[in-house]
C-alpha cells in the first residue's frame, strides 16, 4: 500500500529540516493552532513533482525567500557604498544593474555612449572596476546576481578574475548570470551579436559553469522583460519556457548531460497587479517546466524544479501620485511570495520618475522585511493551496501556455521563432491593446485615469552626473591601457577571435584569459564582433489596434478629422519621426505611440534603436518630418536631447518640433523646455492627449513660418 500524501510530506520535510523537529514548524496564534501545510484532496504535495505548490516541502516555514535589491549606478565605488549599506540593513544578496554602455559591449570612452555612462546602472570597463564594485564584499560568502546578456562574456570573465584576485576560486562563487539572449531579441534589445552566435555564447557559459562553477546559476531565463514590454501572463509563461527549452537543447548539443547542468538553471518573472493571476502564473510555470524537463530527458527531480527570482513591475509604477506605488509594490511582492518565489526584488516607488533614491530603496527593502517578519505568511507552506480561484487559474494558464509553446515548437523552437519576429509582434500588440484600454478608462489606474490629484507634490530624486562619471571612467581606461602588458593582452584577444572564427574552444575560457591580461570590456566584445558582426533588428509598426479600440469614440474621431483637415490644407499628412537615442533598448512606449499615431493618420517613421542625435537629425532632414518624438527611459535625456536640437538647427531644421516622452523627473522639465523641447509626456500620459499636443505643436510651427 502506497504512502499517504501526509506521510510523503512529513518524510521530505524531515529531511529538509535535518536536526530540527517538525514541531518547530507549528505555530500558535493565541490559541489558534496552525499546521505548517495544507494537503488537499487532489494529493498535490509541496516539494514533489510537478512542484506546483513549491520546490521545497517546507518552503518559507523553514527558510524565507532571499531579499535582493537590483541596484547599480554611477561608478563602481558609488555602487559599492550602496551595496554595503543595503547589506547592513537586511538585504541578503546582491543584484547588479549595469549601465547601458556596458550592456551593449562598449567601453565608456566610445563615442556612441556619451549619454549613457553610469546613468541607468554602474559602468564596468575592466577587471579593476569589477574589483572596486565588490571591494570588502567576500565573494565566497555573498550570492551575486548579474543582469547581463549582450556583453555576458566579458562581464562574467571579469567577475571570475576579480574573485580570483580576491582569493576566491570559481568553484566557490554563488549567484546567477542572466545570460538570456533570446528575450533580448524579443523585448529588451540589449543584444550585440546575431541570434545564432549568441546562442553559442549561452551554451559556452552553461558548459563553463558546469565544469568550473558548481554553485553558480549559469542562466536566468527571463519573463520579466516580456512582462514589462506588455506580454500577457500566457505569453510570458509560454515564451519564457520555450526560451528555456532552446537553452537546454543548446547545452545538450555540446554533449552535456541534462542532469549535470539543469539544477543550475533559474528563472526570472515579472509580477504585476493582477494579484491572483500572478500567484497562479508561478504555480503554472513550475508545473509546465517539470513536464518539459521530463520530456527533454531529465530524470533527477532537482533538474525538474523551476527555481525563480521575481521582481515587482516597473510598468505598473506611475509618475502621477507616486506614493501609490508603495502600495502597488507591496501587493505585487505579496503575490510573488504567495506564488512561491525563491528570491525577490521590490521596485522603489520613484522609479517611474528617476533612478531610485536611498529613501525609496529603503522603503522597498522594508516592504519585504515586513512581509517576512510581521505578516506571518511565512508560517505556512503554500497558504493559497486548495483555493478554487487559484487552482482554476493555474489550470487554465497551464493549458493555454502549453498550446502557445506547441505553436512555437512547430516553427522549429524559440530561436527560429525569434528570427521570424512573431513573438515580438504578438507582445507589442498585447501592449497596445492594454494601453488603449487604459487611455479609454476601461482599465482603472488610480491617480492616472481616475482619482487624479489637482497638483502633485515634488519628489526628491537621485541624479547622476554623467559627464563626471564618464571622465573618471576614461581616465581609468587610459591608465589600464598604459600600464598593461600590451603584447600579452593582444595575444589573448587574438586567441578569442580565433575561437570565435573556428567555432571551437570555449569563448568564456578565452575571455577569462583576456580579462587577466587587462583587456577591456569593449575590446573583448569587439574581438567577437569582428567575427560575428553586430546585429541590427528590423523595426515593424503595428496598425489597427487603436482604430479598433476607439471605434465610435468622439475624441478619437475628432483627432482623425483634424488630421484629415491638416492633409487637405497642406497636401500631406503631418509626419513624425519616433527616435530612440543612446543604448536604451526598451521600446514599448515608442512602439505604442507609433501604433496609435499611425492609426490616427500621422505619417510615422520609426527610427532604429541605438541612434546618435546626429543620426536622428539626418533622418529628420531626409524624411522632411514635422516633428521628432524622443523616447527616453534611461536618464540620458539631459545629454542627448539638447544635442539633437543643436544638430537639427545645424541642418536648418529649427521648425521641426521636438517632444520627449518617458521616465523624466519633473525637475528636468524646465531644463528641457529651455533647450527647445515643446512638450514632455511622462508615464501614464493618455496617448490621444499626446497626439493632440503634437498636432498643435506642428500646426503652430507651420503657422509661424
Amino acid at each position: 500500500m502506497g504512502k499517504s500524501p501526509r506521510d510523503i510530506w512529513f518524510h521530505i520535510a524531515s529531511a529538509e529540516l535535518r536536526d530540527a523537529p517538525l514541531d518547530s514548524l507549528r505555530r500558535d496564534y493565541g490559541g489558534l493552532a496552525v499546521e505548517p501545510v495544507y494537503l488537499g484532496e487532489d494529493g498535490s504535495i509541496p516539494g514533489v513533482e510537478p512542484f506546483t505548490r513549491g520546490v521545497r516541502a517546507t518552503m518559507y516555514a523553514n527558510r524565507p525567500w532571499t531579499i535582493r535589491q537590483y541596484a547599480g549606478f554611477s561608478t563602481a565605488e558609488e555602487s559599492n557604498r550602496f551595496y554595503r549599506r543595503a547589506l547592513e540593513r537586511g538585504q541578503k544578496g546582491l543584484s547588479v544593474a549595469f549601465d547601458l554602455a556596458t550592456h551593449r559591449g562598449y567601453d565608456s570612452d566610445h563615442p556612441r555612449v556619451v549619454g549613457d555612462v553610469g546613468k541607468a546602472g554602474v559602468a564596468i570597463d575592466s577587471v579593476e572596476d569589477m574589483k572596486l564594485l565588490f571591494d570588502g564584499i567576500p565573494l565566497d560568502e555573498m550570492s551575486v546576481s548579474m543582469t547581463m546578456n549582450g556583453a555576458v562574456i566579458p562581464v562574467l570573465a571579469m567577475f571570475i578574475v576579480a574573485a580570483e584576485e580576491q582569493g576566491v576560486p570559481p568553484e566557490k562563487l554563488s549567484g546567477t548570470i542572466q545570460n538570456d539572449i533570446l528575450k533580448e531579441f524579443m523585448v529588451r534589445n540589449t543584444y550585440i551579436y546575431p541570434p545564432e552566435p549568441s546562442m553559442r555564447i549561452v551554451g559556452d557559459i552553461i558548459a563553463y559553469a558546469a565544469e568550473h562553477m558548481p554553485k553558480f546559476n549559469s542562466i536566468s531565463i527571463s519573463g520579466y522583460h516580456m512582462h514589462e514590454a506588455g506580454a500577457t501572463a500566457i505569453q510570458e509563461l509560454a515564451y519564457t519556457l520555450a526560451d528555456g527549452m532552446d537553452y537546454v537543447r543548446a547545452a545538450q548539443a555540446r554533449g552535456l548531460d541534462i542532469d549535470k547542468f539543469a539544477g543550475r538553471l533559474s528563472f526570472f518573472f515579472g509580477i504585476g497587479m493582477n494579484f491572483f493571476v500572478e500567484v497562479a502564473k508561478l504555480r503554472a510555470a513550475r508545473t509546465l517546466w517539470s513536464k518539459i524537463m521530463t520530456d527533454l530527458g531529465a530524470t533527477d527531480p532537482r533538474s525538474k524544479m523551476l527555481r525563480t527570482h521575481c521582481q515587482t513591475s516597473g510598468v505598473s509604477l506611475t509618475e502621477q501620485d507616486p506614493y501609490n506605488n508603495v502600495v502597488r509594490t507591496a501587493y505585487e511582492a505579496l503575490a510573488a511570495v504567495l506564488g512561491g518565489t525563491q528570491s525577490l526584488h521590490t521596485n522603489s516607488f520613484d522609479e517611474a520618475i528617476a533612478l531610485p533614491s536611498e529613501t525609496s530603496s529603503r522603503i522597498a527593502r522594508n516592504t519585504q522585511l515586513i512581509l517576512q517578519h510581521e505578516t506571518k505568511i511565512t508560517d505556512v507552506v503554500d497558504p493559497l493551496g486548495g483555493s478554487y480561484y487559484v487552482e482554476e487559474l493555474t489550470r487554465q494558464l497551464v493549458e493555454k501556455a502549453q498550446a502557445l509553446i506547441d505553436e512555437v515548437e512547430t516553427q522549429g523552437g524559440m530561436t527560429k521563432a525569434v528570427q521570424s519576429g512573431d513573438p515580438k509582434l504578438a507582445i507589442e500588440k498585447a501592449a497596445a491593446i492594454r494601453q488603449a484600454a487604459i487611455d479609454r478608462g476601461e482599465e482603472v489606474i488610480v491617480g492616472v485615469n481616475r482619482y487624479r490629484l489637482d497638483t502633485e507634490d515634488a519628489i526628491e530624486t537621485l541624479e547622476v552626473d554623467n559627464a563626471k562619471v564618464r571622465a573618471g571612467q576614461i581616465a581609468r581606461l587610459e591608465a589600464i591601457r598604459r600600464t598593461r602588458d600590451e603584447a600579452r593582452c593582444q595575444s589573448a584577444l587574438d586567441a578569442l577571435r580565433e575561437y570565435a572564427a573556428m567555432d571551437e574552444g570555449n569563448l568564456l575560457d578565452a575571455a577569462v584569459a583576456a580579462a587577466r591580461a587587462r583587456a577591456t570590456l569593449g575590446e573583448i566584445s569587439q574581438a567577437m564582433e569582428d567575427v560575428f558582426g553586430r546585429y541590427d533588428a528590423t523595426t515593424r509598426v503595428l496598425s489597427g489596434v487603436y482604430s479598433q479600440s476607439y471605434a465610435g469614440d468622439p475624441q478619437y474621431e475628432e483627432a482623425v478629422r483634424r488630421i484629415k483637415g491638416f492633409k487637405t490644407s497642406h497636401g500631406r499628412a503631418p509626419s513624425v519621426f519616433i527616435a530612440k537615442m543612446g543604448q536604451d533598448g526598451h521600446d514599448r512606449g515608442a512602439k505604442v505611440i507609433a501604433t496609435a499615431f499611425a492609426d490616427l493618420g500621422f505619417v510615422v517613421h520609426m527610427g532604429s534603436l541605438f541612434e546618435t542625435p546626429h543620426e536622428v537629425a539626418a533622418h529628420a532632414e531626409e524624411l522632411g518630418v514635422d516633428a521628432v518624438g524622443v523616447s527616453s527611459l534611461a536618464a540620458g535625456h539631459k545629454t542627448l536631447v539638447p544635442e539633437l536640437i543643436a544638430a537639427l538647427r545645424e541642418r536648418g531644421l529649427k521648425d521641426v518640433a521636438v517632444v520627449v516622452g518617458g521616465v523624466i523627473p519633473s525637475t528636468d522639465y524646465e531644463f528641457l523646455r529651455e533647450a527647445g523641447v515643446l512638450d514632455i509626456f511622462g508615464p501614464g500620459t493618455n496617448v490621444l492627449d499626446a497626439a493632440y499636443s503634437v498636432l498643435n505643436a506642428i500646426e503652430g510651427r507651420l503657422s509661424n513660418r
Side-chain angles (χ1 to χ4, degrees), residues 455-610:
T455 58
E456 298 276 354
D457 294 332
I459 299 289
E460 184 180 336
T461 58
L462 174 70
E463 183 170 359
V464 172
D465 187 339
N466 164 242
K468 181 180 177 182
V469 173
R470 187 166 185 262
Q473 290 298 120
I474 290 172
R476 196 141 58 209
L477 277 166
E478 288 172 348
I480 286 167
R481 290 175 182 141
R482 189 172 59 248
T483 56
R484 70 190 180 189
D485 182 335
E486 193 62 30
R488 180 187 171 210
C489 178
Q490 293 306 321
S491 175
L493 290 170
D494 288 342
L496 178 57
R497 280 189 200 90
E498 190 174 333
Y499 275 27
M502 296 178 67
D503 196 18
E504 63 181 41
N506 189 292
L507 294 170
L508 179 55
D509 204 16
V512 168
R516 285 193 190 109
R518 291 313 188 258
T520 68
L521 175 130
E523 290 167 339
I524 293 172
S525 294
Q526 185 63 50
M528 291 185 288
E529 185 180 337
D530 290 342
V531 178
F532 300 145
R534 186 171 277 264
Y535 184 69
D536 187 16
T538 301
T539 301
R540 294 194 285 176
V541 177
L542 286 165
S543 63
V545 173
Y546 267 76
S547 57
Q548 291 172 23
S549 299
Y550 273 87
D553 182 88
Q555 187 184 13
Y556 184 87
E557 296 300 333
E558 172 61 17
V560 170
R561 187 193 63 75
R562 275 193 60 189
I563 290 169
K564 285 180 178 176
F566 182 102
K567 189 172 183 178
T568 300
S569 302
H570 298 277
R572 61 176 180 81
S575 61
V576 180
F577 186 87
I578 308 293
K580 287 290 299 181
M581 297 188 295
Q583 300 305 306
D584 172 30
H586 294 89
D587 59 355
R588 172 180 178 165
K591 290 288 184 65
V592 166
I593 289 291
T595 296
F597 277 40
D599 282 359
L600 284 164
F602 284 88
V603 174
V604 177
H605 303 279
M606 188 79 196
S608 298
L609 291 168
F610 316 123

Side-chain angles (χ1 to χ4, degrees), residues 20-32:
L22 275 167
D23 284 345
S24 66
L25 296 185
R26 293 189 175 93
R27 299 290 183 268
D28 185 289
Y29 305 140
L32 299 173

Side-chain angles (χ1 to χ4, degrees), residues 153-170:
I153 287 281
V155 164
L156 187 52
M158 288 172 181
F159 177 69
I160 290 167
V161 175
E164 188 179 90
E165 296 184 7
Q166 197 187 83
V168 180

Side-chain angles (χ1 to χ4, degrees), residues 642-697:
E643 200 174 310
L644 168 64
I645 292 170
L648 289 170
R649 287 171 179 164
E650 286 172 12
R651 292 174 177 272
L653 303 176
K654 61 182 178 62
D655 290 333
V656 172
V658 175
V659 297
V660 181
V663 178
I664 300 166
S666 58
T667 50
D668 291 351
Y669 282 18
E670 185 178 351
F671 172 87
L672 292 174
R673 289 193 173 107
E674 287 179 357
V677 172
L678 286 185
D679 212 341
I680 300 160
F681 310 114
T685 298
N686 183 289
V687 173
L688 273 185
D689 292 343
Y692 274 110
S693 177
V694 171
L695 186 58
N696 290 338

Side-chain angles (χ1 to χ4, degrees), residues 301-500:
R302 291 170 297 182
S303 300
K304 304 176 190 181
M305 292 178 181
L306 182 145
R307 303 166 184 83
T308 190
H309 171 71
C310 288
Q311 181 172 338
T312 59
S313 176
V315 168
S316 68
L317 304 179
T318 65
E319 178 187 40
Q320 299 85 357
D321 207 357
Y323 288 112
N324 289 340
N325 296 331
V326 177
V327 181
R328 292 186 178 102
T329 295
Y331 284 133
E332 290 170 348
L334 179 59
V337 170
L338 292 176
T341 190
Q342 276 60 69
S343 65
L344 179 62
H345 164 85
T346 33
N347 287 335
S348 303
F349 73 84
D350 52 358
E351 288 187 59
I353 303 167
L355 292 171
S357 67
E358 187 154 338
T359 296
S360 65
S361 295
R362 178 176 55 81
I363 292 170
R365 189 165 51 250
N366 285 350
T367 298
Q368 295 196 54
L369 291 170
I370 289 165
L371 281 176
Q372 282 192 2
H373 296 288
E374 297 186 30
T375 64
K376 308 303 180 187
I377 59 171
T378 61
D379 289 353
V380 177
V381 180
D382 188 26
L384 293 180
S387 157
Y388 156 73
Y389 187 30
V390 172
E391 301 293 349
E392 177 60 14
L393 286 172
T394 302
R395 184 194 67 77
Q396 289 194 41
L397 282 167
V398 167
E399 179 184 303
K400 294 178 187 299
Q402 184 63 62
L404 188 50
I405 290 169
D406 293 343
E407 208 175 287
V408 169
E409 286 293 283
T410 63
Q411 296 182 56
M414 205 62 188
T415 305
K416 297 283 192 239
V418 161
Q419 290 172 349
S420 76
D422 291 343
K424 183 179 183 69
L425 212 59
I427 291 171
E428 288 170 0
K429 183 176 182 180
I433 289 171
R434 180 166 187 258
Q435 187 59 49
I438 292 169
D439 288 347
R440 285 176 58 81
E442 294 165 359
E443 183 171 337
V444 175
I445 308 294
V446 173
V448 175
N449 60 4
R450 202 178 295 183
Y451 313 112
R452 287 199 66 155
L453 292 174
D454 294 329
T455 58
E456 298 276 354
D457 294 332
I459 299 289
E460 184 180 336
T461 58
L462 174 70
E463 183 170 359
V464 172
D465 187 339
N466 164 242
K468 181 180 177 182
V469 173
R470 187 166 185 262
Q473 290 298 120
I474 290 172
R476 196 141 58 209
L477 277 166
E478 288 172 348
I480 286 167
R481 290 175 182 141
R482 189 172 59 248
T483 56
R484 70 190 180 189
D485 182 335
E486 193 62 30
R488 180 187 171 210
C489 178
Q490 293 306 321
S491 175
L493 290 170
D494 288 342
L496 178 57
R497 280 189 200 90
E498 190 174 333
Y499 275 27

